[in-house]
């Protein structure tokens, strides 16, 4: 609540000024907290600005009364901190998606192949709850910590808030000493409606859907507010445990139920893909009457021993998949087509739509992908939407699937205005006017301006400071854009020289609008803190085309150190040579990705930017995951002949998870050959080189339960 009674600043006594500064500081702090946690702001922007101006005016009149934590020194958008960070002992993963029945059959098939398994494989099938995931840690039966998923490795500490959720037990009787229970926080439809009604009555912000409401309520800096928001929790998984809960997924979930957690009633064991699909359709039919939002069905291999054998890809388990419900649809008018220039120069057409509600969310933009898509063709030149092109003024059908950006499914030609013209795709960059060219085989037209294109440069900087990249406290997209505009920062390396250039002297950060001495110092410190950074984040942050978070991790895990990665990319040639072969031998790295990374390292301008950045950093080698004392860690292993107890893919993945390097050919560098029946030239080569050779049973005995 804002106290509107205002004594003129000029008339304030020193004692009154002191009290007033204290009051304003508290009000602004609360307003920041409310704003940055996406909660209903309790004061308008204008009121907020007025408070801030008054605070400044009083400080100007009584400089010696300025508080050490003065709100004038706060960065506009940097008060979002507040939650401590918690590193997950076991990563919180996401799920691969299946969109139709064939994807599910394929999922089952792949598992069978991976395991080399002919018999039936049982799966659990359960609703995919549309909320946000939470990990609860119990030690000696006491709830000691609750963390959001965050980036999967590090989440936010929301323990106090989780304690206010009635589905979450504070204590457990008869639980393992350490037990991390994972599940979904959500808000029921009834609670969501009631909350929005209360918000309207208070003149506060309403939430677009139950998921946003649940997220906004859990991520409250004030647990008192979370306590007023009715949140629920379903447990469906676990993280670290000091003793196994059971032998199967279903029994583990039942054990969690016995411990006092809410378990989804629609969780069922299915023995075939057909049963899984039946259960999916059953859940889909009940969707509207469940009383909470779900967006699909999750299937998980039931036997935990098989889950262990299947293991993980970089961010998803091989033993589970989310079968999503079909997207929701709505019709609306296409008002305009705008072009956005992305980080890699791609000209992306964006549809500006008459706002329409699709699946509870107001949509006003949709992606149009590329020029072929607008013309009614897919990337192979085949007809989509019955070859109907998309024109400004068209009546279009929009769909949304989960978090995916809205797309256009169809055009109603009977509603096309007579004046509508075919869309002409630009051949020059709208930002830097460089030619925009479309290379053969590329669906996308790209600006050729590279780093001289402001749009590309800014997008790269935004990517660089993004959450999965450098994630520098107080340096978000807004700040880097402003720094770019003023030519303070042109490439990522410039971020790390900001203190040297603008910490002192005539032009100082603390004198810029929105900054003060304290916030500037905080920013410089936050930047310095990120000089020490894991290799995978650096590789991802470079913003190289085709290199996402997953592939960055694959490269980092393989090369381990920046020096080795950099040397390999410097010496590599696209399409040939030892470095090229080595890149392609990484499971998950294909030719397109490999060529893109090499090209980036061999382009002079890009390379200069990369080198300048690396010189500012202390890049951390990849700490090998998995048991440190694995008997095969650091060894180079070759598999040959027929394996009878596991497939080649499983053997390779398992060896790699134990820290071994798996190679396809025997050389002097090979430490161990695992030879099954039918082994030929490789066994001979190993014998000639004196490489230790064992059979499959020997291998299993060696790795044991490691
Ligand atoms: S299992 C290792 N089960 O979906 C697998 N996830 O898209 C861990 N989710 O991050 C997840 N309902 O937040 C699982 N019944 C369910 C789920 C579920 C919702 C969420 C979860 C996860 C996301 C992945």
């Amino acid at each position: 609540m804002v106290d509107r009674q205002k004594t003129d600043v000029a008339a304030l006594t020193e004692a009154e000024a002191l009290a007033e500064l204290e009051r304003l500081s508290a009000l602004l702090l609360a307003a920041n907290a409310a704003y940055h946690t996406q909660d209903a702001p309790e004061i308008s922007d204008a009121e907020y600005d007025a408070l801030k101006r008054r605070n400044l005016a009083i400080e100007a009149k009584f400089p010696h009364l300025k508080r050490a934590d003065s709100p004038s020194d706060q960065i506009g958008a940097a008060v979002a901190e507040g939650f401590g960070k918690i590193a997950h002992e076991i990563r919180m993963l996401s799920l691969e998606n299946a969109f139709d029945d064939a994807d599910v059959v394929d999922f089952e098939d792949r598992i069978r192949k991976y395991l080399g398994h002919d018999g039936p494989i049982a799966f659990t099938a359960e609703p995919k709850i549309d909320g946000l995931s939470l990990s609860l840690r119990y030690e000696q039966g006491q709830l000691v910590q609750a963390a959001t998923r965050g980036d999967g490795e590090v989440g936010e500490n929301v323990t106090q808030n989780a304690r206010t959720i009635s589905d979450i037990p504070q204590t457990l009787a008869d639980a393992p000493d350490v037990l991390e229970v994972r599940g979904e926080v959500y808000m029921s439809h009834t609670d969501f409606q009631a909350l929005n009604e209360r918000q309207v009555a208070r003149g506060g912000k309403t939430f677009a859907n139950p998921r946003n409401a649940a997220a906004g309520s859990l991520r409250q800096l004030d647990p008192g507010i979370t306590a007023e928001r009715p949140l629920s929790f379903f447990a469906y998984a676990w993280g670290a445990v000091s003793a196994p809960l059971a032998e199967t997924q279903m029994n583990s979930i039942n054990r969690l139920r016995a411990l006092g957690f809410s378990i989804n009633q629609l969780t069922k064991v299915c023995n075939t893909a057909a049963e899984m699909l039946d259960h999916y359709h059953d859940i889909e039919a009940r969707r509207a009457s469940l009383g909470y939002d779900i967006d699909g069905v999750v299937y998980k291999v039931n036997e935990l021993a098989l889950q262990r054998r299947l293991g993980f890809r970089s961010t998803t388990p091989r033993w589970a998949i989310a079968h999503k419900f079909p997207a929701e649809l709505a019709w609306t008018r296409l008002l305009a087509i705008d072009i956005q220039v992305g980080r890699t120069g791609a000209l992306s057409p964006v549809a500006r739509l008459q706002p329409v509600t699709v699946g509870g969310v107001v949509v006003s933009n949709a992606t149009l992908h590329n020029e072929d898509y607008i013309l009614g063709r897919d990337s192979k030149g085949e007809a989509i939407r019955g070859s109907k092109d998309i024109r400004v003024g068209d009546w279009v059908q929009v769909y949304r699937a989960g978090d995916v950006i809205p797309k256009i499914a169809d055009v109603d030609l009977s509603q096309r205005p007579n004046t509508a013209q075919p869309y002409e795709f630009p051949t020059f960059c709208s930002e830097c006017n460089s030619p925009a060219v479309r290379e053969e085989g590329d669906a996308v037209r790209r600006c050729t301006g590279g780093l001289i294109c402001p749009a590309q440069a800014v997008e790269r900087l935004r990517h660089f400071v993004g959450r999965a990249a450098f994630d520098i406290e107080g340096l978000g997209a807004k700040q880097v854009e402003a720094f770019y505009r003023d030519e303070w920062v042109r490439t990522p390396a410039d971020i790390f020289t900001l203190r040297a250039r603008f910490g002192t002297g005539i032009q100082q950060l603390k004198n810029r609008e929105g900054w003060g001495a304290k916030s500037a110092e905080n920013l410089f410190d936050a930047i310095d803190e990120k000089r020490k950074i894991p290799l995978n984040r650096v590789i991802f942050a470079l913003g190289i085309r085709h290199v996402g978070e997953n592939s960055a991790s694959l490269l980092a895990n393989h090369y381990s150190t920046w020096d080795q990665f950099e040397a390999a990319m410097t010496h590599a040639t696209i399409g040939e040579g030892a470095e090229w072969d080595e890149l392609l031998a990484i499971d998950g790295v294909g030719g397109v990705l490999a060529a893109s990374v090499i090209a980036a390292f061999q382009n002079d301008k890009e390379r200069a930017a990369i080198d300048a950045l690396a010189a500012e950093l202390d890049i951390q080698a990849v700490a090998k995951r998995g048991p440190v004392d694995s008997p095969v860690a650091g060894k180079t292993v070759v598999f040959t002949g027929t394996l009878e107890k596991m497939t080649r893919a499983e053997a390779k993945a398992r060896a790699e998870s134990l820290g071994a390097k798996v190679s396809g050919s025997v050389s002097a560098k090979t430490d161990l050959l695992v030879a099954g029946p039918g082994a030929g030239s490789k066994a001979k080569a190993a014998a000639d080189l004196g490489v230790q050779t064992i059979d499959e049973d020997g291998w299993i005995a060696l790795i044991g339960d490691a």
Side-chain angles (χ1 to χ4, degrees):
M1 240 173 311
V2 181
D3 178 357
R4 278 163 225 279
Q5 159 242 314
K6 281 188 198 133
T7 316
D8 196 353
V9 172
L12 288 174
T13 64
E14 190 160 321
E16 283 167 344
L18 191 65
E20 185 65 352
L21 286 175
E22 186 180 339
R23 187 184 73 96
L24 290 168
S25 163
L27 279 173
L28 286 161
L29 194 76
N32 275 336
Y35 179 78
H36 290 295
T37 51
Q38 309 290 312
D39 186 28
E42 294 185 338
I43 60 174
S44 68
D45 287 356
E47 283 171 317
Y48 179 86
D49 290 342
L51 289 177
K52 221 163 167 177
R53 275 198 305 275
R54 182 168 169 81
N55 191 68
L56 265 175
I58 299 174
E59 285 173 352
K61 179 152 187 261
F62 302 97
H64 58 289
L65 295 184
K66 184 171 170 182
R67 299 167 61 89
D69 63 350
S70 163
S72 317
D73 292 341
Q74 310 279 323
I75 309 172
V79 211
E81 65 199 69
F83 292 109
K85 301 261 157 94
I86 291 183
H88 299 297
E89 190 176 323
I90 294 186
R91 272 182 313 157
M92 288 185 81
L93 298 162
S94 52
L95 292 169
E96 189 194 343
N97 289 326
F99 295 102
D100 55 26
D101 293 6
D103 289 346
V104 177
V105 173
D106 185 51
F107 164 69
E108 204 226 7
D109 244 28
R110 269 186 284 142
I111 288 186
R112 221 174 259 298
K113 285 212 181 86
Y114 187 92
L115 295 170
H117 201 85
D118 290 332
I121 296 178
F123 292 85
T124 56
E126 70 202 59
K128 181 170 190 296
I129 316 297
D130 198 4
L132 64 154
S133 46
L134 186 67
S135 185
L136 305 167
R137 187 175 172 97
Y138 293 84
E139 290 176 7
Q140 266 71 41
Q142 302 294 321
L143 175 63
V144 292
Q145 220 169 52
T148 61
R149 177 169 180 271
D151 63 2
E153 307 260 357
V154 178
E156 284 171 328
N157 183 345
V158 291
T159 313
Q160 295 315 324
N161 297 353
R163 288 189 196 284
T164 69
I165 300 176
S166 60
D167 279 344
I168 296 181
Q170 301 282 325
T171 55
L172 304 176
D174 229 9
D177 289 350
V178 173
L179 171 62
E180 285 180 6
V181 176
R182 292 178 173 177
E184 203 84 352
V185 174
Y186 66 98
M187 195 179 281
S188 74
H189 290 161
T190 322
D191 289 335
F192 168 68
Q193 261 160 21
L195 170 62
N196 266 356
E197 278 161 23
R198 284 204 305 277
Q199 292 292 98
V200 171
R202 285 181 189 173
K205 183 184 96 174
T206 56
F207 293 97
N209 55 46
R211 182 156 74 115
N212 287 2
S217 304
L218 183 68
R219 297 182 70 261
Q220 271 298 332
L221 286 169
D222 176 359
I225 297 178
T226 312
E228 288 174 8
R229 308 273 179 85
L231 292 170
S232 307
F233 179 79
F234 275 129
Y236 52 64
W238 55 93
V241 280
S242 55
L245 292 171
E247 306 259 291
T248 63
Q249 177 76 28
M250 192 70 222
N251 289 344
S252 305
I253 295 302
N254 283 334
R255 174 94 192 274
L256 292 178
R257 188 211 313 262
L259 286 169
F261 290 93
S262 295
I263 300 306
N264 195 287
Q265 297 294 337
L266 295 170
T267 310
K268 184 181 163 191
V269 176
C270 301
N271 288 302
T272 59
E275 274 181 48
M276 283 147 71
L277 294 173
D278 275 352
H279 196 45
Y280 170 89
H281 292 297
D282 187 25
I283 292 176
E284 190 180 23
R286 298 171 187 226
R287 183 176 183 187
S289 56
L290 289 178
Y292 49 86
D293 278 356
I294 62 172
D295 57 350
V297 172
V298 182
Y299 310 119
K300 301 172 186 166
V301 168
N302 195 33
E303 293 292 334
L304 301 186
L306 293 184
Q307 287 192 5
R308 273 192 293 276
R309 280 181 61 192
L310 286 157
F312 306 93
R313 299 179 209 91
S314 57
T315 58
T316 56
R318 286 195 191 85
W319 44 264
I321 201 163
H323 188 178
K324 304 294 280 280
F325 291 134
E328 300 195 38
L329 296 157
W331 287 94
T332 189
R333 193 66 70 185
L334 172 60
L335 303 176
I337 297 179
D338 286 346
I339 297 286
Q340 281 176 354
V341 183
R343 171 166 62 81
T344 59
L347 266 50
S348 305
V350 180
R352 305 293 179 202
L353 304 164
Q354 182 129 37
V356 61
T357 306
V358 191
V361 171
V362 178
V363 166
S364 43
N365 302 308
T367 174
L368 291 170
H369 299 286
N370 54 52
E371 52 195 297
D372 283 346
Y373 183 86
I374 297 178
L375 289 172
R377 294 194 298 255
D378 70 8
S379 58
K380 295 186 196 105
E382 280 165 28
I384 49 172
R385 297 185 304 270
S387 288
K388 285 179 269 182
D389 72 334
I390 296 174
R391 301 185 184 184
V392 173
D394 270 342
W395 186 241
V396 293
Q397 191 182 40
V398 185
Y399 68 99
R400 252 184 89 241
D403 286 336
V404 185
I405 310 162
K407 297 183 184 191
I408 290 184
D410 204 1
V411 179
D412 183 349
L413 292 184
S414 72
Q415 304 266 351
R416 176 169 280 175
N418 294 334
T419 50
Q421 296 296 318
Y423 180 71
E424 270 189 50
F425 206 89
T427 51
F428 285 89
C429 172
S430 49
E431 300 288 331
C432 69
N433 222 23
S434 303
V437 300
R438 193 171 160 188
E439 282 172 12
E440 209 175 316
D442 194 352
V444 168
R445 193 171 281 279
R446 288 175 201 278
C447 159
T448 51
L451 285 173
I452 67 144
C453 175
Q456 284 189 55
V458 167
E459 287 306 316
R460 285 199 204 188
L461 287 168
R462 287 171 62 133
H463 171 83
F464 185 85
V465 299
R467 199 158 126 156
F470 271 68
D471 192 21
I472 298 168
E473 192 88 55
L475 190 65
K478 221 169 86 190
Q479 287 82 7
V480 279
E481 270 170 45
F483 286 153
Y484 180 86
R485 230 184 4 250
D486 296 350
E487 299 184 20
W488 283 26
V489 170
R490 293 266 125 167
T491 69
D494 298 338
I495 292 172
F496 295 91
T497 57
L498 273 172
R499 187 198 293 269
R501 291 180 294 133
F502 301 105
T504 51
I506 306 170
Q507 226 186 346
Q508 286 187 48
L509 176 58
K510 71 173 189 188
N511 296 332
R512 270 175 83 119
E513 204 189 319
W515 298 84
K518 187 146 182 269
S519 56
E521 249 340 275
N522 286 348
L523 177 70
F524 296 143
D525 290 347
I527 291 171
D528 282 342
E529 224 172 83
K530 291 292 163 88
R531 286 181 195 271
K532 193 166 163 181
I533 184 127
L535 178 59
N536 58 320
R537 281 193 180 248
V538 178
I539 298 178
F540 173 68
L542 295 179
I544 298 170
R545 202 170 142 205
H546 303 298
V547 181
E549 256 181 279
N550 286 355
S551 27
S553 291
L554 294 175
L555 293 169
N557 290 340
H558 179 80
Y559 290 99
S560 303
T561 66
W562 172 259
D563 288 350
Q564 291 180 51
F565 173 61
E566 187 248 18
M569 294 311 109
T570 307
H571 297 120
T573 310
I574 295 175
E576 61 188 40
E579 286 83 7
W580 173 257
D581 291 346
E582 185 178 349
L583 259 174
L584 290 196
I586 304 173
D587 189 14
V589 173
V592 174
L593 169 68
S596 177
V597 181
I598 298 174
F601 272 77
Q602 296 183 358
N603 169 305
D604 291 347
K605 270 209 189 111
E606 306 272 345
R607 184 57 198 256
I610 293 174
D611 288 346
L613 172 68
E616 296 292 338
L617 303 176
D618 171 12
I619 302 173
Q620 302 295 295
V622 174
K624 286 275 174 227
R625 281 188 170 273
V628 268
D629 59 352
S630 138
V632 293
K635 301 236 162 99
T636 301
V637 181
V638 176
F639 292 94
T640 187
T642 315
L643 299 181
E644 288 165 335
K645 305 210 164 107
M646 61 188 98
T647 60
R648 205 48 93 69
E650 182 184 354
K652 180 167 188 276
R654 183 97 173 93
E656 283 171 350
S657 76
L658 294 171
K661 193 172 152 198
V662 177
S663 163
S665 58
V666 173
S667 74
K669 287 193 197 148
T670 311
D671 295 299
L672 183 64
L673 179 76
V674 181
S681 60
K682 285 182 195 159
K684 187 172 175 309
D688 291 348
L689 288 163
V691 170
Q692 186 192 358
T693 302
I694 57 175
D695 63 7
E696 189 179 6
D697 285 338
W699 167 252
I700 291 169
L702 177 65
I703 59 172
D705 261 342

